[in-house]
Amino acid sequence: DGFDVWFVGFTPELVTGVWIGFDQPKKIMNNAQGGRLAAPAWTTMMKEVYDRRPTNFQWNRPEDLQVAEIDSTTGFLATPFCPRPLRYVESFAPGTVPATYCPVHSQMLGVPGMTPNPEAIPGTTGAVPPAAPPPAGTRPPDASGAMGGQGPPTTTTPRP
């Protein structure tokens, strides 16, 4: 409602949050959002912290992390029929990868009574993609470890 906005993020060493609002309920501005107002403040603060201290940590990718290409309009696994600008690479904890392929961008779209069958889509097996690092040139969502209204990444991923 634009009265309070917040953003929380983390590094391997710190968890920090930024809240912006008034002491008494009052609208901050139209379209006030954590990602729009608090996230830039969080970023500035964390940059200041890490400009002043050495960073001796590395983000290690969990071995059991699963990666899949997702259709950003549906949240389902992308098919070869999903427009390239709508696809992005997402990282998932084991067992949380969507099990269904995008029903909107399908070769079966418009055929009455037909449910898209992932195994019938050329170039797919119907199986959940195996765990693999994201393709070069992509970033996993929340690469900063940040949470709070970031939404899906806007990068597109070329299909191999």
Side-chain angles (χ1 to χ4, degrees), residues 46-138:
M46 293 304 285
K47 183 175 180 344
E48 181 75 21
V49 166
Y50 282 103
D51 280 350
R52 293 178 182 204
R53 60 185 281 175
T55 55
N56 296 324
F57 60 83
Q58 230 180 349
W59 288 93
N60 294 319
R61 182 178 184 271
E63 290 182 24
D64 58 350
L65 195 66
Q66 295 178 306
V67 178
E69 190 173 34
I70 303 297
D71 180 296
S72 65
T73 59
T74 65
F76 291 109
L77 293 171
T79 73
F81 303 103
C82 296
R84 288 195 190 281
L86 300 180
R87 300 181 205 168
Y88 69 96
V89 173
E90 176 84 53
S91 298
F92 294 91
T96 64
V97 176
T100 307
Y101 282 84
C102 173
V104 174
H105 305 107
S106 167
Q107 67 184 11
M108 299 298 185
L109 188 63
V111 178
M114 294 298 292
T115 302
N117 175 1
E119 294 181 1
I121 299 172
T124 67
T125 63
V128 172
T138 63

Side-chain angles (χ1 to χ4, degrees), residues 5-21:
V5 298
W6 59 271
F7 186 88
V8 175
F10 63 92
T11 72
E13 299 175 310
L14 300 171
V15 176
T16 58
V18 172
W19 169 83
I20 298 174

